[in-house]
Amino acid sequence: MTSGALKKTPLNDAHRALGGRMVDFGGWDMPVQYTAGVIEEHMATRTRSGLFDVSHMGEIWVEGPDAISFVNRLTTNDVLKLVDGQAHYSAMTNDNGGVVDDLLVYRFGQEKLLLVVNAGTTEKDWAWITSHKKDERVELHNASSEYCQIAIQGPDATAIVQNLTETDLAAIKYYHFTTGRVDGVDAIISRTGYTGEDGFEIYAAADTAEQLWNKILETGNYGAKGGILPCGLAARNTLRLEAAMSLYGHELGDDISPLEAGLGWITKFQKGPFTGSEIIARQKEEGLTRKIAGFEMTEPGIARDGCDVYVGGEKTGVVTSGSPAPFLKKNIGLAFLPPQFAIDGQEITIDVRGRQIAAKVVPTPFYKRSK
Amino acid sequence: MSNIPENLRYSKDHEYVNVNGDVATIGITDYAQHSLGDVVYIDMPRVGDKFGTHESFGSVESVKAVSEIFTPVAGEVVEVNEGLNDTPEAVNNDPYNSGWMVKVKMDNPGEADAMLSAAEYEEYLEASN
């Protein structure tokens, strides 16, 4: 491996000090797990709290009088519906109705939006956004390297962060955010996440990352029984999969429409045209040929990404994400299926390395936290 | 550091064999379990199945990955560790004892002698890292 060429987040040394097993993740040197292992990290996040370095994700500022209309033209969700201090999940589409990336759009003001995009697609997104600017009065700024992003997720997350800030966290509703200070550091405190748990994503200057990371571990009693655990990419993936959240490159891609990916709920045709909206609207009218469905294995075996799915002996689809689900203690996954088979209870089989293993379509999310 | 017991023989695929007469107890090494991460499922052969040398006889699945396991020695499966169905984590916690996978009656008991010794396996690990 040519680790010299990999990009590093400001927490790279911290991960190594914690025993993180580092892997090449889309060109980033990231921890896949720490010493506790993926199952314990996953369970800590579901039952207590988990800490994630997501500084590799991209941050792009859009500022100017046409910020909202510009982002509205490039993405599927309706930016006009956002109020200051609110964020939403959205998809940036291409001319064929495929997805350039999925992202969060934060509204700081009428003329100021922040786009948070995936790490592996930041450069592609930046090129896409800058090259699709027409005569809109907006300033674009790729601030990805200026920020760290630390996610703290799980039932104990609010109490831990509240110890470190004077901001009243109870006043921040889900998918809302505020600017404030965490451990004295200027930060964007966002009640969002990618685990299916309550929690926060904290954005701050890159050079404050270690301070924040270590302070949160200390405040969360890392190392003590019942304390917080740092979590690697493996747990981040199993947590998001239990919550049936899409992962770009799996359920989403340049040749997958948001409707096929099950993102109709963030595809707002009534707001007016956006990139690819005609094609996507036609798809909705004419009906989809495939859509994402959740499944669980009913026989021993684990379906992995890329496994073929069969109905009645006929190949009908493909697994996009498959894994053991540590909290649910089942083997689950997401797959593309023709809509007539993407119905709860549908029996399917999955070719797992040459063997047909039984599974059935189940409702998603697989896991939903109790309020 | 990996735990590499002196009394076992090792393959370059990171299986070990523990020879007792003409029966070899086979599992994966401490290094292998550590690389895989949390093991959640082991797909094993049945008693009576016969395998040649270096044939895939099953797979070990961790949360993140699946890894095939190969027979380091040819022979017939005489016992499988059914306990791993309920406690696959034994492969992580105790790979050389409760985490064993299958017992094979060797066609040629001399075959195990040709495998790596503990010292050779340690050298092999160092060289490949």
Side-chain angles (χ1 to χ4, degrees), chain B residues 78-102:
Chain B
V78 291
E79 196 178 342
V80 300
N81 185 355
E82 304 285 355
L84 295 182
N85 290 330
D86 293 326
T87 56
E89 62 272 19
V91 173
N92 293 116
N93 299 336
D94 194 15
Y96 298 115
N97 296 296
S98 60
W100 68 276
M101 292 174 182
V102 295

PDB file of all heavy atoms in Angstrom, chain B residues 78-102:
ATOM      1  N   VAL B  78     -13.751 -35.493  10.263  1.00  0.00           N
ATOM      2  CA  VAL B  78     -14.311 -36.433  11.234  1.00  0.00           C
ATOM      3  C   VAL B  78     -15.096 -35.728  12.333  1.00  0.00           C
ATOM      4  O   VAL B  78     -15.862 -36.358  13.064  1.00  0.00           O
ATOM      5  CB  VAL B  78     -13.208 -37.324  11.867  1.00  0.00           C
ATOM      6  CG1 VAL B  78     -12.644 -38.282  10.821  1.00  0.00           C
ATOM      7  CG2 VAL B  78     -12.095 -36.480  12.483  1.00  0.00           C
ATOM      8  N   GLU B  79     -14.918 -34.412  12.458  1.00  0.00           N
ATOM      9  CA  GLU B  79     -15.667 -33.673  13.478  1.00  0.00           C
ATOM     10  C   GLU B  79     -15.653 -32.197  13.095  1.00  0.00           C
ATOM     11  O   GLU B  79     -14.658 -31.699  12.560  1.00  0.00           O
ATOM     12  CB  GLU B  79     -14.996 -33.877  14.852  1.00  0.00           C
ATOM     13  CG  GLU B  79     -15.872 -33.481  16.022  1.00  0.00           C
ATOM     14  CD  GLU B  79     -15.179 -33.737  17.380  1.00  0.00           C
ATOM     15  OE1 GLU B  79     -14.195 -34.507  17.430  1.00  0.00           O
ATOM     16  OE2 GLU B  79     -15.623 -33.130  18.366  1.00  0.00           O
ATOM     17  N   VAL B  80     -16.773 -31.512  13.327  1.00  0.00           N
ATOM     18  CA  VAL B  80     -16.770 -30.062  13.167  1.00  0.00           C
ATOM     19  C   VAL B  80     -17.167 -29.426  14.497  1.00  0.00           C
ATOM     20  O   VAL B  80     -17.891 -30.028  15.291  1.00  0.00           O
ATOM     21  CB  VAL B  80     -17.719 -29.569  12.038  1.00  0.00           C
ATOM     22  CG1 VAL B  80     -17.326 -30.157  10.704  1.00  0.00           C
ATOM     23  CG2 VAL B  80     -19.159 -29.877  12.366  1.00  0.00           C
ATOM     24  N   ASN B  81     -16.679 -28.248  14.737  1.00  0.00           N
ATOM     25  CA  ASN B  81     -16.947 -27.575  16.015  1.00  0.00           C
ATOM     26  C   ASN B  81     -18.311 -26.891  15.958  1.00  0.00           C
ATOM     27  O   ASN B  81     -18.431 -25.722  15.610  1.00  0.00           O
ATOM     28  CB  ASN B  81     -15.842 -26.555  16.300  1.00  0.00           C
ATOM     29  CG  ASN B  81     -15.997 -25.920  17.681  1.00  0.00           C
ATOM     30  OD1 ASN B  81     -16.977 -26.176  18.382  1.00  0.00           O
ATOM     31  ND2 ASN B  81     -15.033 -25.102  18.055  1.00  0.00           N
ATOM     32  N   GLU B  82     -19.351 -27.674  16.326  1.00  0.00           N
ATOM     33  CA  GLU B  82     -20.724 -27.154  16.247  1.00  0.00           C
ATOM     34  C   GLU B  82     -20.918 -25.958  17.189  1.00  0.00           C
ATOM     35  O   GLU B  82     -21.789 -25.129  16.979  1.00  0.00           O
ATOM     36  CB  GLU B  82     -21.731 -28.255  16.623  1.00  0.00           C
ATOM     37  CG  GLU B  82     -21.636 -29.529  15.800  1.00  0.00           C
ATOM     38  CD  GLU B  82     -22.205 -29.390  14.398  1.00  0.00           C
ATOM     39  OE1 GLU B  82     -22.770 -28.318  14.093  1.00  0.00           O
ATOM     40  OE2 GLU B  82     -22.069 -30.351  13.610  1.00  0.00           O
ATOM     41  N   GLY B  83     -20.100 -25.901  18.222  1.00  0.00           N
ATOM     42  CA  GLY B  83     -20.218 -24.807  19.193  1.00  0.00           C
ATOM     43  C   GLY B  83     -20.056 -23.439  18.557  1.00  0.00           C
ATOM     44  O   GLY B  83     -20.587 -22.446  19.059  1.00  0.00           O
ATOM     45  N   LEU B  84     -19.353 -23.392  17.435  1.00  0.00           N
ATOM     46  CA  LEU B  84     -19.122 -22.091  16.793  1.00  0.00           C
ATOM     47  C   LEU B  84     -20.395 -21.502  16.194  1.00  0.00           C
ATOM     48  O   LEU B  84     -20.456 -20.309  15.931  1.00  0.00           O
ATOM     49  CB  LEU B  84     -18.045 -22.214  15.711  1.00  0.00           C
ATOM     50  CG  LEU B  84     -16.641 -22.563  16.205  1.00  0.00           C
ATOM     51  CD1 LEU B  84     -15.676 -22.610  15.028  1.00  0.00           C
ATOM     52  CD2 LEU B  84     -16.152 -21.573  17.248  1.00  0.00           C
ATOM     53  N   ASN B  85     -21.414 -22.337  15.981  1.00  0.00           N
ATOM     54  CA  ASN B  85     -22.689 -21.804  15.492  1.00  0.00           C
ATOM     55  C   ASN B  85     -23.267 -20.803  16.482  1.00  0.00           C
ATOM     56  O   ASN B  85     -23.853 -19.797  16.096  1.00  0.00           O
ATOM     57  CB  ASN B  85     -23.699 -22.933  15.262  1.00  0.00           C
ATOM     58  CG  ASN B  85     -23.311 -23.785  14.069  1.00  0.00           C
ATOM     59  OD1 ASN B  85     -22.691 -23.285  13.126  1.00  0.00           O
ATOM     60  ND2 ASN B  85     -23.637 -25.061  14.119  1.00  0.00           N
ATOM     61  N   ASP B  86     -23.096 -21.112  17.768  1.00  0.00           N
ATOM     62  CA  ASP B  86     -23.644 -20.224  18.791  1.00  0.00           C
ATOM     63  C   ASP B  86     -22.631 -19.193  19.261  1.00  0.00           C
ATOM     64  O   ASP B  86     -23.011 -18.099  19.670  1.00  0.00           O
ATOM     65  CB  ASP B  86     -24.119 -21.051  20.003  1.00  0.00           C
ATOM     66  CG  ASP B  86     -25.305 -21.932  19.644  1.00  0.00           C
ATOM     67  OD1 ASP B  86     -26.118 -21.490  18.801  1.00  0.00           O
ATOM     68  OD2 ASP B  86     -25.396 -23.046  20.184  1.00  0.00           O
ATOM     69  N   THR B  87     -21.379 -19.554  19.236  1.00  0.00           N
ATOM     70  CA  THR B  87     -20.364 -18.613  19.747  1.00  0.00           C
ATOM     71  C   THR B  87     -19.227 -18.443  18.731  1.00  0.00           C
ATOM     72  O   THR B  87     -18.085 -18.830  18.996  1.00  0.00           O
ATOM     73  CB  THR B  87     -19.775 -19.099  21.085  1.00  0.00           C
ATOM     74  OG1 THR B  87     -19.247 -20.422  20.884  1.00  0.00           O
ATOM     75  CG2 THR B  87     -20.803 -19.110  22.187  1.00  0.00           C
ATOM     76  N   PRO B  88     -19.536 -17.857  17.572  1.00  0.00           N
ATOM     77  CA  PRO B  88     -18.484 -17.644  16.565  1.00  0.00           C
ATOM     78  C   PRO B  88     -17.346 -16.769  17.098  1.00  0.00           C
ATOM     79  O   PRO B  88     -16.225 -16.849  16.609  1.00  0.00           O
ATOM     80  CB  PRO B  88     -19.225 -16.959  15.407  1.00  0.00           C
ATOM     81  CG  PRO B  88     -20.461 -16.394  16.001  1.00  0.00           C
ATOM     82  CD  PRO B  88     -20.833 -17.291  17.139  1.00  0.00           C
ATOM     83  N   GLU B  89     -17.663 -15.962  18.129  1.00  0.00           N
ATOM     84  CA  GLU B  89     -16.634 -15.064  18.676  1.00  0.00           C
ATOM     85  C   GLU B  89     -15.483 -15.846  19.313  1.00  0.00           C
ATOM     86  O   GLU B  89     -14.421 -15.281  19.583  1.00  0.00           O
ATOM     87  CB  GLU B  89     -17.240 -14.071  19.676  1.00  0.00           C
ATOM     88  CG  GLU B  89     -17.884 -14.682  20.912  1.00  0.00           C
ATOM     89  CD  GLU B  89     -19.357 -15.031  20.718  1.00  0.00           C
ATOM     90  OE1 GLU B  89     -19.820 -15.150  19.558  1.00  0.00           O
ATOM     91  OE2 GLU B  89     -20.045 -15.196  21.744  1.00  0.00           O
ATOM     92  N   ALA B  90     -15.691 -17.164  19.549  1.00  0.00           N
ATOM     93  CA  ALA B  90     -14.593 -17.979  20.080  1.00  0.00           C
ATOM     94  C   ALA B  90     -13.397 -17.960  19.131  1.00  0.00           C
ATOM     95  O   ALA B  90     -12.253 -18.087  19.569  1.00  0.00           O
ATOM     96  CB  ALA B  90     -15.071 -19.413  20.311  1.00  0.00           C
ATOM     97  N   VAL B  91     -13.662 -17.790  17.844  1.00  0.00           N
ATOM     98  CA  VAL B  91     -12.563 -17.722  16.872  1.00  0.00           C
ATOM     99  C   VAL B  91     -11.680 -16.503  17.154  1.00  0.00           C
ATOM    100  O   VAL B  91     -10.468 -16.555  17.002  1.00  0.00           O
ATOM    101  CB  VAL B  91     -13.112 -17.675  15.425  1.00  0.00           C
ATOM    102  CG1 VAL B  91     -11.999 -17.427  14.417  1.00  0.00           C
ATOM    103  CG2 VAL B  91     -13.846 -18.968  15.109  1.00  0.00           C
ATOM    104  N   ASN B  92     -12.295 -15.410  17.620  1.00  0.00           N
ATOM    105  CA  ASN B  92     -11.518 -14.224  18.002  1.00  0.00           C
ATOM    106  C   ASN B  92     -10.863 -14.392  19.374  1.00  0.00           C
ATOM    107  O   ASN B  92      -9.702 -14.055  19.566  1.00  0.00           O
ATOM    108  CB  ASN B  92     -12.420 -12.979  18.072  1.00  0.00           C
ATOM    109  CG  ASN B  92     -12.951 -12.553  16.729  1.00  0.00           C
ATOM    110  OD1 ASN B  92     -14.144 -12.585  16.495  1.00  0.00           O
ATOM    111  ND2 ASN B  92     -12.065 -12.165  15.821  1.00  0.00           N
ATOM    112  N   ASN B  93     -11.654 -14.898  20.299  1.00  0.00           N
ATOM    113  CA  ASN B  93     -11.202 -14.872  21.688  1.00  0.00           C
ATOM    114  C   ASN B  93     -10.206 -15.980  22.005  1.00  0.00           C
ATOM    115  O   ASN B  93      -9.364 -15.837  22.878  1.00  0.00           O
ATOM    116  CB  ASN B  93     -12.404 -15.003  22.634  1.00  0.00           C
ATOM    117  CG  ASN B  93     -13.379 -13.853  22.449  1.00  0.00           C
ATOM    118  OD1 ASN B  93     -12.990 -12.782  21.981  1.00  0.00           O
ATOM    119  ND2 ASN B  93     -14.637 -14.071  22.792  1.00  0.00           N
ATOM    120  N   ASP B  94     -10.329 -17.099  21.318  1.00  0.00           N
ATOM    121  CA  ASP B  94      -9.554 -18.275  21.697  1.00  0.00           C
ATOM    122  C   ASP B  94      -9.321 -19.153  20.465  1.00  0.00           C
ATOM    123  O   ASP B  94      -9.773 -20.297  20.418  1.00  0.00           O
ATOM    124  CB  ASP B  94     -10.379 -19.034  22.763  1.00  0.00           C
ATOM    125  CG  ASP B  94      -9.562 -20.087  23.479  1.00  0.00           C
ATOM    126  OD1 ASP B  94      -8.322 -20.058  23.372  1.00  0.00           O
ATOM    127  OD2 ASP B  94     -10.172 -20.945  24.140  1.00  0.00           O
ATOM    128  N   PRO B  95      -8.632 -18.612  19.445  1.00  0.00           N
ATOM    129  CA  PRO B  95      -8.566 -19.310  18.153  1.00  0.00           C
ATOM    130  C   PRO B  95      -7.936 -20.701  18.229  1.00  0.00           C
ATOM    131  O   PRO B  95      -8.301 -21.581  17.447  1.00  0.00           O
ATOM    132  CB  PRO B  95      -7.722 -18.372  17.283  1.00  0.00           C
ATOM    133  CG  PRO B  95      -6.974 -17.492  18.230  1.00  0.00           C
ATOM    134  CD  PRO B  95      -7.861 -17.354  19.434  1.00  0.00           C
ATOM    135  N   TYR B  96      -7.029 -20.909  19.174  1.00  0.00           N
ATOM    136  CA  TYR B  96      -6.287 -22.171  19.195  1.00  0.00           C
ATOM    137  C   TYR B  96      -6.956 -23.245  20.058  1.00  0.00           C
ATOM    138  O   TYR B  96      -6.541 -24.394  20.039  1.00  0.00           O
ATOM    139  CB  TYR B  96      -4.859 -21.925  19.687  1.00  0.00           C
ATOM    140  CG  TYR B  96      -4.081 -21.001  18.779  1.00  0.00           C
ATOM    141  CD1 TYR B  96      -3.649 -19.758  19.227  1.00  0.00           C
ATOM    142  CD2 TYR B  96      -3.794 -21.364  17.462  1.00  0.00           C
ATOM    143  CE1 TYR B  96      -2.938 -18.902  18.394  1.00  0.00           C
ATOM    144  CE2 TYR B  96      -3.098 -20.516  16.618  1.00  0.00           C
ATOM    145  CZ  TYR B  96      -2.666 -19.292  17.092  1.00  0.00           C
ATOM    146  OH  TYR B  96      -1.965 -18.449  16.259  1.00  0.00           O
ATOM    147  N   ASN B  97      -7.974 -22.840  20.845  1.00  0.00           N
ATOM    148  CA  ASN B  97      -8.624 -23.828  21.705  1.00  0.00           C
ATOM    149  C   ASN B  97     -10.104 -23.943  21.354  1.00  0.00           C
ATOM    150  O   ASN B  97     -10.450 -24.682  20.441  1.00  0.00           O
ATOM    151  CB  ASN B  97      -8.394 -23.471  23.173  1.00  0.00           C
ATOM    152  CG  ASN B  97      -6.905 -23.538  23.514  1.00  0.00           C
ATOM    153  OD1 ASN B  97      -6.300 -24.606  23.445  1.00  0.00           O
ATOM    154  ND2 ASN B  97      -6.312 -22.402  23.843  1.00  0.00           N
ATOM    155  N   SER B  98     -10.969 -23.172  22.023  1.00  0.00           N
ATOM    156  CA  SER B  98     -12.402 -23.316  21.738  1.00  0.00           C
ATOM    157  C   SER B  98     -12.768 -22.810  20.348  1.00  0.00           C
ATOM    158  O   SER B  98     -13.850 -23.091  19.848  1.00  0.00           O
ATOM    159  CB  SER B  98     -13.226 -22.590  22.800  1.00  0.00           C
ATOM    160  OG  SER B  98     -12.913 -21.219  22.823  1.00  0.00           O
ATOM    161  N   GLY B  99     -11.861 -22.091  19.679  1.00  0.00           N
ATOM    162  CA  GLY B  99     -12.155 -21.574  18.345  1.00  0.00           C
ATOM    163  C   GLY B  99     -11.726 -22.497  17.211  1.00  0.00           C
ATOM    164  O   GLY B  99     -11.746 -22.089  16.046  1.00  0.00           O
ATOM    165  N   TRP B 100     -11.366 -23.752  17.528  1.00  0.00           N
ATOM    166  CA  TRP B 100     -11.014 -24.683  16.451  1.00  0.00           C
ATOM    167  C   TRP B 100     -12.210 -24.899  15.518  1.00  0.00           C
ATOM    168  O   TRP B 100     -13.360 -24.679  15.915  1.00  0.00           O
ATOM    169  CB  TRP B 100     -10.508 -26.026  17.005  1.00  0.00           C
ATOM    170  CG  TRP B 100     -11.559 -26.855  17.710  1.00  0.00           C
ATOM    171  CD1 TRP B 100     -11.961 -26.740  19.005  1.00  0.00           C
ATOM    172  CD2 TRP B 100     -12.356 -27.912  17.141  1.00  0.00           C
ATOM    173  NE1 TRP B 100     -12.946 -27.647  19.297  1.00  0.00           N
ATOM    174  CE2 TRP B 100     -13.219 -28.385  18.168  1.00  0.00           C
ATOM    175  CE3 TRP B 100     -12.433 -28.513  15.885  1.00  0.00           C
ATOM    176  CZ2 TRP B 100     -14.135 -29.425  17.967  1.00  0.00           C
ATOM    177  CZ3 TRP B 100     -13.356 -29.547  15.688  1.00  0.00           C
ATOM    178  CH2 TRP B 100     -14.184 -29.989  16.721  1.00  0.00           C
ATOM    179  N   MET B 101     -11.956 -25.305  14.283  1.00  0.00           N
ATOM    180  CA  MET B 101     -13.063 -25.433  13.320  1.00  0.00           C
ATOM    181  C   MET B 101     -13.388 -26.868  12.941  1.00  0.00           C
ATOM    182  O   MET B 101     -14.520 -27.293  13.089  1.00  0.00           O
ATOM    183  CB  MET B 101     -12.748 -24.610  12.079  1.00  0.00           C
ATOM    184  CG  MET B 101     -12.776 -23.127  12.416  1.00  0.00           C
ATOM    185  SD  MET B 101     -12.233 -22.127  11.043  1.00  0.00           S
ATOM    186  CE  MET B 101     -12.348 -20.514  11.805  1.00  0.00           C
ATOM    187  N   VAL B 102     -12.420 -27.593  12.415  1.00  0.00           N
ATOM    188  CA  VAL B 102     -12.710 -28.972  11.999  1.00  0.00           C
ATOM    189  C   VAL B 102     -11.553 -29.894  12.403  1.00  0.00           C
ATOM    190  O   VAL B 102     -10.423 -29.453  12.591  1.00  0.00           O
ATOM    191  CB  VAL B 102     -12.911 -29.110  10.467  1.00  0.00           C
ATOM    192  CG1 VAL B 102     -14.132 -28.342  10.010  1.00  0.00           C
ATOM    193  CG2 VAL B 102     -11.683 -28.661   9.702  1.00  0.00           C
TER     194      VAL B 102
END
